[in-house]
Amino acid sequence: MSSLLFVCLGNICRSPLAEGIAKHIAREHGLSIEIDSAGTGKWHIGEAPCEASQRIALKNGIDISDLRARTVLPEDKERFEKIVAMDKENKRTLEDLGFRNTKLLGDYGDYGGKDVPDPYYATDAIKEVFTMIRTCVEDIFRKEFHV
């Protein structure tokens, strides 16, 4: 079985959106893929995704309200085949923790390696963040899972 982990800083905005979108796409295509998200920081462990992320996801037919923030774990290195960071800073943190072959979400969807902006401090950008994440996750599924 394939596995995919999305990683951002607090695991309450960007990576839960990516997880929710990926699970939605996997269900639509009948794919059996383990999909999860995590944060490199520990501030929000156990919290639900932020209101702005929940709202934009639900507006697009995806319910992420049951997700809970967690921190990336050492065993995630072996558990997940594909690990995708939302920005260069989190990718560097993952590499410092010994994760290899991590990708940036912005490497997909013709974004040229661009960081996914963090909507935690700019909730007015959530629509653009959602669009970027959805576009990139759809491209991951085309390129990596051939859908």
Side-chain angles (χ1 to χ4, degrees):
M1 177 168 84
S2 294
S3 53
L4 178 60
L5 178 67
F6 295 100
V7 180
C8 68
L9 186 59
N11 192 215
I12 61 167
C13 298
R14 298 171 290 174
S15 57
L17 280 173
E19 177 184 351
I21 292 166
K23 285 179 174 178
H24 181 79
I25 293 169
R27 271 191 307 275
E28 282 183 330
H29 293 280
L31 299 174
S32 181
I33 301 171
E34 180 182 5
I35 301 167
D36 200 357
S37 63
T40 57
K42 298 179 180 190
W43 309 279
H44 300 288
I45 293 174
E47 292 180 24
C50 69
E51 282 186 40
S53 289
Q54 287 190 54
R55 211 172 20 255
I56 193 75
L58 204 52
K59 186 175 180 180
N60 286 275
I62 300 168
D63 184 359
I64 61 171
S65 63
D66 63 331
L67 301 181
R68 293 295 175 265
R70 72 174 186 89
T71 190
V72 69
L73 303 169
E75 54 266 28
D76 289 336
K77 291 178 220 170
E78 312 329 313
R79 182 175 163 204
F80 292 96
E81 291 175 273
K82 296 171 184 19
I83 299 173
V84 182
M86 298 295 119
D87 58 45
K88 292 172 192 76
E89 181 181 330
N90 284 295
K91 185 176 187 297
R92 262 190 309 277
T93 300
L94 288 168
E95 290 167 350
D96 289 347
L97 292 170
F99 286 79
R100 299 291 170 248
N101 300 318
T102 58
K103 295 252 186 176
L104 283 174
L105 189 66
D107 289 338
Y108 296 92
D110 296 325
Y111 279 92
K114 182 179 174 187
D115 286 348
V116 178
D118 190 344
Y120 186 74
Y121 298 104
T123 56
D124 57 330
I126 194 70
K127 185 176 178 182
E128 291 79 15
V129 168
F130 181 86
T131 299
M132 180 181 183
I133 292 172
R134 181 181 57 208
T135 300
C136 294
V137 170
E138 287 170 348
D139 195 39
I140 288 172
F141 274 81
R142 274 191 300 279
K143 290 179 177 169
E144 306 290 342
F145 303 109
H146 312 291
V147 298

